[in-house]
Amino acid sequence: MLIKGFFLLSVVLQSLAVLNLNGPPRGWNSYDAYTCTVTEDEVRQSAQHIAKYLKPSGYDYVVIDYEWYRPGTGQFECCGSWEDLHMDAFGRLIPSPDRFPSSKNGTGFKVLADYVHSLGLKFGIHIMRGIPRAALQKNTPIFGTSSTAAQVADINLPCKWCVDMWGVKNTTLGQAYYDSLIELYAEWGVDFIKMDCVFGQPEYLWDIQSMAKSIVHSKHEFAFSLSPGSDATASEAMEIYKDVTMYRVTDDVWDNWPILKLHFDRLPQFMKLVGRPSFPDSDMLPLGYLSVRGGMGPARYCRLSQQEQQTLMSLWIITRSPLIFGGDMMKLGNDTDLLHLLTNSEALQISKSVYEQRQVRSGPLHQIWSANTKNSEILYVALFNLEDVTAHVTMRWKELGILRKKCSVRQVWEKKNLGIITDVFETDLAPHASMIISISGCH
């Protein structure tokens, strides 16, 4: 949820309809293009291109992914040594000034956030669960208290895949530390927080709820995102879905068909929670130019075929996953096909307006998913061919719960009317291809 300062968490949770975003978030995240190496200049240029090419289609978040506090320029080891990470006097990580020069005067991301806001966009950052190991080593004071990092850090709950952080103790002082982070991020003008190494493990539930509580008690609005999600279950999502805006339910997604294909059987368990008020997140869109400095394989254009890229977008849209583009923004303007895919107005309207998403037909060969509109006047249906050969897909109206015989059908991606179709819809789909149709006017 988009959370604003109130005195009681229960009051906020009862006010979700007012504070919730109008559909799943859209924007850009630096990870797929730059991993942990993005610079201020690259963020500024990316924001300019987002404002020009994507903002008119509702993409408005600019999010800096992990380790913006690590020194160095160019390519370097992510999650390497933790001793030299940039940190303030209270054990809170701050931007590396060699990568983010506007932070040199002690204002953190304030100047950069103001610039992003000046373009009509919103500014976000990635953070790791816990407190820096360097804070414990130096035993820094905890802002607003007479205590120190030694009373907050829990060395039994480190992040297992990144050495930067220790855990935070489930205590009043632990809550105070998270409160101090939110206060700092509010001063910087942050609008979006992606908290990592936290979701999918029951022992970290307190961290999620504690951070949500800190956000609630602040006087600043934040979208709150959780990651990763490879081990997350629907029952765990039930514990946190009212406290957040979006939460990852898959492993990292890259430009690889076998990885993408896993989503079709992973996502159904989360569909009953979509938009109530938060959104299960299938990860960023690994499209366009990726791994600019070689952090995740060689620098390259997306290796998914055009059909596979549309299939990815179709699945994200019909399931109302957040749409966070991950490719190099500076190259997007020259990629007409991808730009059309990301900004198709009829397809984007689906993720904003539908509910009751469900997997109508499962299986390893081809699948059918549907989503209804709130007035039930239009039913959207996505058909997917998961085979490595062309498939003839047949679908009867009664399989979708439509009891009448004749319906008007329109292809969404192509924005093309197919006319009145009676009883059965059938089509040929190329390997790994998809189609979204809208069905209306049944009689």
Side-chain angles (χ1 to χ4, degrees):
M1 64 182 169
L2 187 62
I3 318 174
K4 194 170 183 177
F6 281 80
F7 292 107
L8 294 175
L9 178 60
S10 60
V11 174
V12 175
L13 295 180
Q14 292 168 11
S15 306
L16 289 175
V18 176
L19 297 173
N20 188 35
L21 295 170
N22 183 20
R26 299 177 193 163
W28 175 79
N29 178 292
S30 64
Y31 181 76
D32 286 356
Y34 301 102
T35 59
C36 67
T37 70
V38 72
T39 66
E40 179 167 353
D41 183 62
E42 288 164 338
V43 174
R44 286 175 178 264
Q45 290 187 59
S46 297
Q48 293 167 12
H49 284 74
I50 293 166
K52 180 177 181 179
Y53 294 109
L54 295 182
K55 181 188 170 190
S57 297
Y59 295 80
D60 57 2
Y61 283 102
V62 179
V63 182
I64 299 174
D65 212 271
Y66 77 143
E67 293 208 305
W68 34 265
Y69 37 82
R70 181 170 293 282
T73 56
Q75 181 58 48
F76 50 82
E77 182 183 2
C78 301
C79 288
S81 63
W82 52 264
E83 293 88 350
D84 56 351
L85 303 181
H86 289 278
M87 186 176 65
D88 72 5
F90 299 101
R92 300 175 297 186
L93 294 166
I94 57 176
S96 173
D98 50 353
R99 292 166 54 202
F100 300 95
S102 68
S103 70
K104 286 182 178 178
N105 60 2
T107 57
F109 276 128
K110 173 64 175 168
V111 174
L112 182 53
D114 285 349
Y115 176 74
V116 170
H117 294 155
S118 75
L119 299 174
L121 302 170
K122 300 172 185 177
F123 180 72
I125 59 173
H126 172 289
I127 66 171
M128 300 292 290
R129 169 187 59 81
I131 186 170
R133 295 188 182 207
L136 178 59
Q137 182 189 52
K138 298 178 181 179
N139 201 23
T140 60
I142 301 302
F143 181 81
T145 76
S146 58
S147 303
T148 66
Q151 296 165 277
V152 170
D154 187 341
I155 64 172
N156 296 310
L157 290 175
C159 181
K160 296 177 182 178
W161 52 267
C162 189
V163 301
D164 296 348
M165 315 293 279
W166 292 123
V168 166
K169 292 178 180 177
N170 180 354
T171 63
T172 301
L173 289 177
Q175 181 68 60
Y177 179 72
Y178 280 141
D179 288 347
S180 76
L181 294 183
I182 291 300
E183 184 170 340
L184 181 65
Y185 302 154
E187 291 173 0
W188 290 349
V190 173
D191 306 295
F192 182 107
I193 296 172
K194 175 184 175 181
M195 192 178 196
D196 208 345
C197 199
V198 73
F199 188 46
Q201 300 293 329
E203 60 265 34
Y204 305 147
L205 176 61
W206 176 83
D207 296 86
I208 297 169
Q209 295 174 335
S210 178
M211 183 62 78
K213 188 175 181 180
S214 296
I215 291 172
V216 165
H217 290 162
S218 76
K219 297 178 180 179
H220 189 80
E221 290 186 349
F222 294 90
F224 185 23
S225 169
L226 303 180
S227 187
S230 56
D231 297 320
T233 64
S235 61
E236 288 171 332
M238 285 291 294
E239 297 280 350
I240 53 85
Y241 76 100
K242 290 184 178 180
D243 298 331
V244 301
T245 308
M246 52 191 271
Y247 50 96
R248 275 275 296 282
V249 295
T250 69
D251 206 344
D252 287 0
V253 176
W254 283 99
D255 49 337
N256 175 290
W257 172 251
I259 291 176
L260 172 57
K261 189 176 178 181
L262 294 174
H263 282 59
F264 287 90
D265 294 323
R266 174 81 179 141
L267 296 178
Q269 63 177 305
F270 299 100
M271 289 301 97
K272 291 184 179 180
L273 294 175
V274 173
R276 300 181 51 199
S278 54
F279 298 91
D281 174 21
S282 294
D283 200 16
M284 291 167 282
L285 304 170
L287 307 175
Y289 196 67
L290 307 171
S291 194
V292 171
R293 283 190 271 275
M296 293 298 291
R300 64 192 182 277
Y301 281 96
C302 177
R303 293 175 293 204
L304 295 174
S305 68
Q306 290 296 319
Q307 291 91 344
E308 290 166 348
Q309 292 182 46
Q310 180 175 301
T311 290
L312 183 151
M313 284 292 290
S314 296
L315 184 60
W316 266 236
I317 283 170
I318 202 72
T319 59
R320 300 190 80 192
S321 173
L323 299 177
I324 308 297
F325 177 58
D328 184 351
M329 278 304 310
M330 275 79 91
K331 295 185 183 297
L332 180 59
N334 297 322
D335 193 336
T336 303
D337 290 339
L338 178 56
L339 194 56
H340 286 165
L341 186 67
L342 292 171
T343 61
N344 184 296
S345 58
E346 290 193 24
L348 291 178
Q349 181 60 32
I350 295 172
S351 69
K352 195 173 182 179
S353 61
V354 298
Y355 76 121
E356 291 183 346
Q357 301 75 207
R358 68 186 182 101
Q359 186 185 51
V360 177
R361 184 189 300 173
S362 62
L365 302 181
H366 47 82
Q367 294 195 6
I368 298 173
W369 292 63
S370 71
N372 206 349
T373 51
K374 291 185 178 179
N375 56 17
S376 297
E377 293 181 357
I378 300 175
L379 181 70
Y380 290 101
V381 180
L383 302 94
F384 299 97
N385 177 19
L386 307 185
E387 294 189 80
D388 297 333
V389 296
T390 298
H392 185 75
V393 181
T394 301
M395 174 182 65
R396 295 185 176 276
W397 289 159
K398 64 181 180 180
E399 187 175 3
L400 302 171
I402 298 174
L403 302 180
R404 300 186 179 184
K405 291 183 176 295
K406 297 182 178 181
C407 299
S408 296
V409 179
R410 179 176 173 84
Q411 281 184 297
V412 171
W413 286 111
E414 294 78 6
K415 300 182 179 180
K416 177 183 177 182
N417 289 324
L418 300 181
I420 303 295
I421 294 179
T422 302
D423 281 338
V424 179
F425 179 84
E426 50 189 321
T427 188
D428 290 323
L429 291 177
H432 307 170
S434 62
M435 174 187 290
I436 299 180
I437 60 173
S438 64
I439 301 173
S440 62
C442 297
H443 60 281

